Amino acid sequence: MKISLRWLRELVDTDLDGAAIAKLLTMAGLEVESRTVFGGFSGVIVAEVRGKKPHPNSNKLTLVDVWDGREVTQVVCGAPNVPEPNGERGAQARLVLWARPGATLPNGMTLAPKEVRGVMSPGMLCAEDELGFGEGHDGILIFSGDEELRPGDDVASKLNLPDEILEVNVTPNRADCLGHVGIARDLAALLGKKLKVSPHPNDTAQTGAAKVVIEDAEGCPHYSAQIIEGMQVLPSPLMLRLRLQSLGVRPISNVVDATNLAWLELGQPVHAFDYDKLAGQMIVVRRAKAGETIETLDKQTRVLTDEDLVIADRDKPVAIAGVMGGASSEVTAQTRRVLLEVAYFNPARVRRTSARLGLHTEASHRFERGCDPNIVAHVSDVTTPRIGRPAGMRTDVYPKKISPRTIALRPARTESLLGCEIPTARQREWLSRIGLTVSGSSDKLDVTVPTYRPDLEREIDLIEEIARLEGYEKIPVTVPRLQVVPEPMESSTSERVRDLCAGLGLDEIVTYGFVSPKQIAALGFPNDTPEARPIRIANPIREEQSVMRTTLMVGQLLTLERNQKRGASDVRIFEVGQRFLPSAQKDAVLPTERRMLTATLAGRNGGWLKPGAELDFFDVKGLVEELLDSLGHSAQFVQPQDETVSWLHPRIFARIEIGDLFVGVIGEVHSRVLKHFEIEGRAFAFEIDLDSIHVAPPAVSQDLPRFPAVTRDLSFFIDAEVSAQKIRQTFQTIVDPLCREVRVIEDYREAGKVPTGKKGMLWSFTYRAPDRTLTDAEVQAAHDKLVGKLKETLVVELR
Amino acid sequence: MSCVFCVGKGSVNGALCRTCKGSGWIEIGGAGMVDPTVFGHVDYDSERYTGFAFGMGIERMAMLRYRVNDIKLFYEGDVRFVRQFR
Ligand SMILES: [Zn+2]
């Protein structure tokens, strides 16, 4: 919310400068995010256009005679909208702003007399952007003389410029601070000053000139309508226009500007209907009929549901209550009578309609946070004379009276919660300064909260107010006694894995848990798998982040693509994070969360063994072996014949297993998937479910061998299809305590040396006993057993 | 805490400091007393127990430690950024 310092000073007497006020508000929970100067110029005066003629050397320029109250001077002007000295609106609008030589503009420029196409110009006539008032540069600023400004007046001193604009970050609970008076109330409280506003009584119902029917009192507890006549739709006086512009609101006309002033001042949205365009000259507040449509002020046709609250005339909706007015009853230059609506709408209903329509306005922003239901009459009464004359009495329909609530506060509770002494009198003082009424004794106060503070509902809320106003920085500092709890096992696993991956040369990334359903679909999971059915977020901010990831691959591929687009093609990334799968149990409330390690590699191999070579499957497989080995597991890579992984190449992939346990997959990313993510070249990936593996306990030290080992080799031909893994498994079925190590030494397949379809292998076996030197016979016996087992299980040809 | 980029001044070489948006301060976390309603949801008697909760944004801490001036960099996974912190 933009707040004018000048306006604040009109509401609270203070000599403090902008920086000091910003600090006070910030420390009290109204964070001032920025301060900017508005109207920082000097030497600009009001001048009246007395004559004009074309520039002799240019048809785009005009020579304008301006009068500064004493004499007439000729100024060159390039704007197309120089007013006619004797034009139709006459003296009504021929005042302009003249920056004379010596004037300084907000951009720092100081004006000097200047020749423009052969004619001297003493300064210039200003457009609004040149004075920092707004963006407009279509022409010079023109205004009429029926206000305080006279030719010759210095604009800055007359309009009390420059002003300072504070951008205040109002938290959602502080609906009362969405207007200047609310902020000023807190500032006055902090300074111990009086808030300069006239008090008004709480609202009551009354019957006036306008005909109003409320059919949905739950949606609209309070509605007031005032008919206003005797008005002319004109631009507002310059001072008001600038006040609106300084707060980022575009001036439109005196009627619209007056409605905007109401929310800027009191936080209460107000709407003006062209009374003569309301069919039946009546207002009906009701639920929309399903499918009913309305063209809103932004020229969009909106389809409504019966959940939406509308303001209707006899025939049709003329506004979406609390959100936006309708085009059919918009105030125009021809409007002669206005029906001024000031109302209190149900915050939840406004929020739902605004969210459903994606229509967020200044009005909905305030109504959905909660306006003051008892300020309605006051706002109507101050706004009406800014527009015209009241035609009869205001109609107030107030079917659901909302009264101030009373909350009990124990001053001792305040002290025990805040951990410091705050005398009861001081607690009372703070609460009354923000407009609360306090009575009762010192062990229990009865605090009545005005309806402009719907956020104060409980004792704790009052304590918060006291803490905030007293100042959090005044609460003494004590160091709490804390108990140290060991780090949970699962987080230390993740840490280990991260360190290991980084040590293996991978770069860690962090990506979002919310992803696009389209990207999940692009991975092609079969429909019956949980991965294909991601959990949808209840209120997604945008469709691209509307479901929870069922795989970390989406983030991996998006990151790979982003890196490639930015020119980094050698990418080796990993992420450790949760994935979220719909629970297999029907009545489960929560999804199944699994901690995953997922990595993707593309480009060239970074290793020193074969630098510059393109990555292949075996590089990545080696990485996984290394990683799991470091965690105390030996990985097996199983290539099932009858199974595929939707996002991996149908043949270049494997299941990663530890013992009997399936822990992940590895492979080349499917070209169809790469194409969807616009990734160049090949990419390899693996994912491991970290929740399914445990980190092996620390190794237990063994005595070093004191007796020599004996090595036996075994050379054979075997079917090329039989993997080393399979052969090793065969040896492992014989558990011979003497056999300490089994290794592959050679695997050769050169034609001519090996029978067709076979491969030659050389394996080495190490035998040792812990307590003696083995005899030849002992070694031979153990070795024969292994060889026997091999021949019995697989077809081998010993050499 | 005081902004590390502009040393709390709000501007760097005359230009508005991007990190603190000119305020001279950067938010690194939040803290406060636990709402009694929250205790109610987990069957704690809020008359007997009070709680103080605080937390720091991990990105904020990293930004201070490594003088990173844009929080988005942490989530983009640009390897040229990530590799600076081996
Ligand atoms: Zn800074």
Side-chain angles (χ1 to χ4, degrees):
Chain A
M1 167 98 203
K2 283 189 164 67
I3 294 292
S4 151
L5 196 63
R6 185 162 55 111
W7 197 347
L8 271 190
R9 288 215 173 92
E10 290 167 21
L11 295 163
V12 185
D13 269 323
T14 172
D15 298 329
L16 292 182
D17 65 3
I21 289 176
K23 180 155 190 223
L24 260 179
L25 292 174
T26 299
M27 296 311 277
L30 294 165
E31 187 195 353
V32 176
E33 289 182 328
S34 68
R35 293 162 39 218
T36 47
V37 172
F38 178 81
F41 56 81
S42 67
V44 179
I45 65 160
V46 177
E48 184 183 313
V49 174
R50 282 283 172 94
K52 70 180 213 183
K53 58 180 183 230
H55 189 289
N57 305 325
S58 162
N59 53 13
K60 292 225 171 96
L61 298 173
T62 315
L63 304 181
V64 187
D65 290 330
V66 291
W67 188 63
D68 65 1
R70 281 174 314 182
E71 57 184 352
V72 170
T73 311
Q74 180 180 281
V75 182
V76 180
C77 181
N81 66 331
V82 176
E84 295 301 324
N86 302 304
E88 49 188 282
R89 285 162 77 188
Q92 284 304 304
R94 59 181 199 211
L95 296 183
V96 294
L97 297 180
W98 175 23
R100 287 188 298 185
T104 310
L105 299 183
N107 64 7
M109 188 170 88
T110 301
L111 293 185
K114 191 174 136 194
E115 202 180 272
V116 185
R117 308 286 301 264
V119 178
M120 278 308 287
S121 181
M124 65 182 204
L125 307 183
C126 300
E128 64 175 29
D129 67 331
E130 284 154 346
L131 296 175
F133 292 158
E135 308 287 309
H137 193 74
D138 299 341
I140 54 174
L141 247 175
I142 303 166
F143 55 102
S144 58
D146 58 349
E147 48 199 279
E148 297 302 287
L149 294 170
R150 299 270 168 267
D153 284 348
D154 181 81
V155 179
S157 62
K158 203 79 185 182
L159 297 182
N160 208 359
L161 293 174
D163 190 5
E164 198 173 310
I165 306 301
L166 310 179
E167 182 70 55
V168 183
N169 176 11
V170 178
T171 50
N173 58 321
R174 293 301 303 274
D176 65 305
C177 283
L178 293 171
H180 278 68
V181 167
I183 302 268
R185 183 180 293 116
D186 265 27
L187 180 62
L190 291 164
L191 294 171
K193 296 276 170 74
K194 208 171 144 34
L195 179 65
K196 293 196 275 179
V197 293
S198 46
H200 60 88
N202 278 341
D203 293 350
T204 49
Q206 72 176 42
T207 309
K211 193 177 174 204
V212 177
V213 179
I214 297 183
E215 291 180 357
D216 182 356
E218 183 258 343
C220 177
H222 189 186
Y223 193 97
S224 85
Q226 172 73 61
I227 300 165
I228 304 172
E229 61 184 9
M231 38 160 294
Q232 246 189 314
V233 180
L234 287 174
S236 289
L238 187 65
M239 195 182 276
L240 174 54
R241 276 153 65 183
L242 294 187
R243 171 154 283 181
L244 296 175
Q245 283 192 303
S246 73
L247 301 172
V249 178
R250 199 160 59 91
I252 312 272
S253 69
N254 53 356
V255 177
V256 179
D257 295 353
T259 62
N260 283 327
L261 201 60
W263 64 257
L264 287 168
E265 182 180 3
L266 296 158
Q268 170 67 47
V270 162
H271 187 67
F273 296 98
D274 186 326
Y275 183 54
D276 296 303
K277 286 187 200 149
L278 297 176
Q281 307 236 292
M282 68 183 295
I283 290 287
V284 182
V285 188
R286 59 164 168 86
R287 278 175 187 271
K289 295 166 193 142
E292 204 169 18
T293 61
I294 178 173
E295 187 190 346
T296 40
L297 285 173
D298 56 3
K299 307 294 174 222
Q300 303 281 314
T301 299
R302 314 270 175 183
V303 183
L304 304 170
T305 75
D306 57 8
E307 277 293 292
D308 299 325
L309 186 72
V310 294
I311 312 303
D313 59 12
R314 189 192 58 207
D315 305 335
K316 62 190 178 302
V318 290
I320 303 172
V323 180
M324 194 180 266
S328 71
S329 56
E330 185 177 2
V331 172
T332 65
Q334 284 72 46
T335 299
R336 290 292 163 259
R337 287 195 294 175
V338 156
L339 183 142
L340 187 74
E341 163 196 291
V342 188
Y344 175 81
F345 300 117
N346 180 323
R349 294 280 296 277
V350 174
R351 191 180 311 125
R352 278 205 295 273
T353 295
S354 158
R356 190 181 60 75
L357 295 173
L359 193 54
H360 192 80
T361 60
E362 296 289 357
S364 69
H365 188 72
R366 284 165 180 77
F367 281 125
E368 69 186 35
R369 281 165 173 74
C371 291
D372 181 359
N374 291 312
I375 204 179
V376 167
H378 176 65
V379 172
S380 183
D381 290 350
V382 298
T383 306
T384 299
R386 290 172 181 158
I387 296 174
R389 274 196 320 271
M393 292 230 304
R394 168 171 34 80
T395 298
D396 251 283
V397 187
Y398 200 175
K400 282 202 138 179
K401 176 89 183 159
I402 298 169
S403 301
R405 63 163 70 85
T406 299
I407 305 167
L409 170 67
R410 294 161 293 169
R413 181 72 179 161
T414 309
E415 294 188 326
S416 88
L417 244 149
L418 301 183
C420 61
E421 267 181 46
I422 305 176
T424 305
R426 198 167 167 74
Q427 297 191 32
R428 297 180 78 124
E429 169 74 12
W430 282 127
L431 297 176
S432 20
R433 282 191 192 180
I434 51 169
L436 280 51
T437 313
V438 188
S439 61
S441 63
S442 68
D443 58 318
K444 184 179 151 282
L445 302 176
D446 293 313
V447 183
T448 302
V449 182
T451 46
Y452 57 74
R453 289 300 302 269
D455 57 316
L456 304 183
E457 299 180 292
R458 306 162 297 166
E459 179 182 47
I460 189 82
D461 301 325
L462 300 179
I463 296 174
E464 182 184 2
E465 288 303 285
I466 294 166
R468 181 175 78 78
L469 295 164
E470 178 79 16
Y472 289 119
E473 73 281 11
K474 298 221 185 80
I475 295 174
V477 175
T478 50
V479 179
R481 260 181 309 162
L482 298 175
Q483 211 180 342
V484 178
V485 177
E487 188 182 21
M489 196 56 142
E490 59 276 14
S491 74
S492 65
T493 315
S494 298
E495 278 312 303
R496 270 296 293 287
V497 167
R498 286 195 172 100
D499 286 347
L500 288 169
C501 287
L504 289 167
L506 302 182
D507 295 310
E508 181 168 11
I509 62 166
V510 180
T511 65
Y512 296 109
F514 295 167
V515 296
S516 153
K518 281 205 192 97
Q519 281 152 357
I520 297 268
L523 295 178
F525 297 112
N527 283 334
D528 54 346
T529 59
E531 282 90 343
R533 293 179 283 117
I535 293 151
R536 201 174 162 80
I537 296 152
N539 290 306
I541 295 167
R542 47 174 177 262
E543 189 58 23
E544 292 78 59
Q545 295 193 332
S546 60
V547 298
M548 299 182 79
R549 63 185 178 193
T550 56
T551 167
L552 273 58
M553 276 315 290
V554 170
Q556 295 276 309
L557 294 168
L558 288 173
T559 305
L560 172 56
E561 180 255 356
R562 187 177 304 127
N563 274 289
Q564 285 190 343
K565 293 255 159 74
R566 293 180 184 182
S569 54
D570 297 337
V571 176
R572 307 152 67 90
I573 49 176
F574 78 97
E575 177 169 9
V576 173
Q578 314 287 115
R579 67 161 162 167
F580 307 88
L581 302 171
S583 177
Q585 280 133 324
K586 264 224 163 72
D587 49 355
V589 180
L590 296 172
T592 305
E593 286 185 39
R594 304 294 291 187
R595 250 174 343 135
M596 306 297 291
L597 160 66
T598 305
T600 305
L601 295 91
R604 285 179 300 276
N605 195 317
W608 52 270
L609 265 175
K610 32 178 187 171
E614 290 289 324
L615 269 172
D616 61 31
F617 177 75
F618 295 100
D619 296 320
V620 186
K621 176 169 170 273
L623 213 75
V624 174
E625 265 172 350
E626 189 83 37
L627 175 76
L628 290 173
D629 186 53
S630 301
L631 293 173
H633 299 289
S634 71
Q636 294 146 49
F637 296 86
V638 183
Q639 286 172 286
Q641 300 300 310
D642 51 352
E643 202 183 298
T644 57
V645 172
S646 66
W647 50 275
L648 289 173
H649 188 289
R651 281 183 312 282
I652 309 174
F653 96 98
R655 289 160 59 97
I656 305 170
E657 293 180 3
I658 296 174
D660 294 338
L661 206 63
F662 167 60
V663 297
V665 293
I666 177 172
E668 178 170 356
V669 182
H670 201 292
S671 57
R672 177 200 75 237
V673 175
L674 293 179
K675 197 170 161 219
H676 174 89
F677 284 89
E678 296 177 19
I679 290 165
E680 310 269 330
R682 303 169 73 186
F684 299 87
F686 64 85
E687 64 173 17
I688 295 173
D689 183 326
L690 294 181
D691 283 330
S692 65
I693 58 173
H694 63 276
V695 180
V700 176
S701 173
Q702 306 283 318
D703 288 339
L704 293 180
R706 289 161 58 211
F707 298 93
V710 179
T711 308
R712 288 285 160 91
D713 291 348
L714 181 66
S715 180
F716 53 83
F717 293 126
I718 192 165
D719 243 14
E721 291 292 305
V722 181
S723 69
Q725 183 91 37
K726 186 91 197 258
I727 300 167
R728 183 181 294 278
Q729 278 167 358
T730 308
F731 292 135
Q732 279 165 350
T733 56
I734 304 274
V735 185
D736 189 316
L738 297 182
C739 181
R740 312 296 301 197
E741 195 185 0
V742 180
R743 285 193 303 150
V744 184
I745 306 287
E746 275 178 34
D747 174 335
Y748 56 98
R749 306 170 185 216
E750 292 90 340
K753 289 189 180 172
V754 179
T756 317
K758 304 269 179 186
K759 62 179 173 181
M761 296 198 92
L762 176 61
W763 290 67
S764 161
F765 304 82
T766 305
Y767 299 93
R768 190 174 57 226
D771 54 353
R772 63 189 190 281
T773 303
L774 290 175
T775 63
D776 242 12
E778 279 177 303
V779 173
Q780 196 58 51
H783 192 62
D784 284 348
K785 243 190 336 184
L786 280 170
V787 176
K789 183 71 189 176
L790 177 69
K791 286 204 290 194
E792 186 187 309
T793 317
L794 298 167
V795 183
V796 293
E797 184 185 329
L798 293 185
R799 302 181 65 234
Chain B
M1 62 183 280
S2 189
C3 177
V4 286
F5 293 94
C6 61
V7 210
K9 288 197 296 254
S11 61
V12 183
N13 301 327
L16 198 74
C17 175
R18 267 208 329 170
T19 306
C20 66
K21 296 193 199 101
S23 71
W25 293 93
I26 36 184
E27 181 180 340
I28 56 167
M33 299 302 287
V34 176
D35 192 305
T37 309
V38 174
F39 279 139
H41 287 315
V42 289
D43 289 338
Y44 272 41
D45 179 359
S46 62
E47 285 292 315
R48 265 189 76 194
Y49 296 98
T50 59
F52 180 74
F54 61 98
M56 277 169 274
I58 192 150
E59 306 92 340
R60 280 292 169 189
M61 304 309 288
M63 287 173 87
L64 296 180
R65 177 91 170 81
Y66 300 107
R67 297 182 63 87
V68 176
N69 57 17
D70 186 353
I71 202 162
K72 283 208 300 283
L73 284 165
F74 293 115
Y75 295 94
E76 286 183 341
D78 189 317
V79 294
R80 295 165 304 174
F81 171 74
V82 179
R83 281 175 192 160
Q84 295 171 24
F85 310 100
R86 280 262 168 91

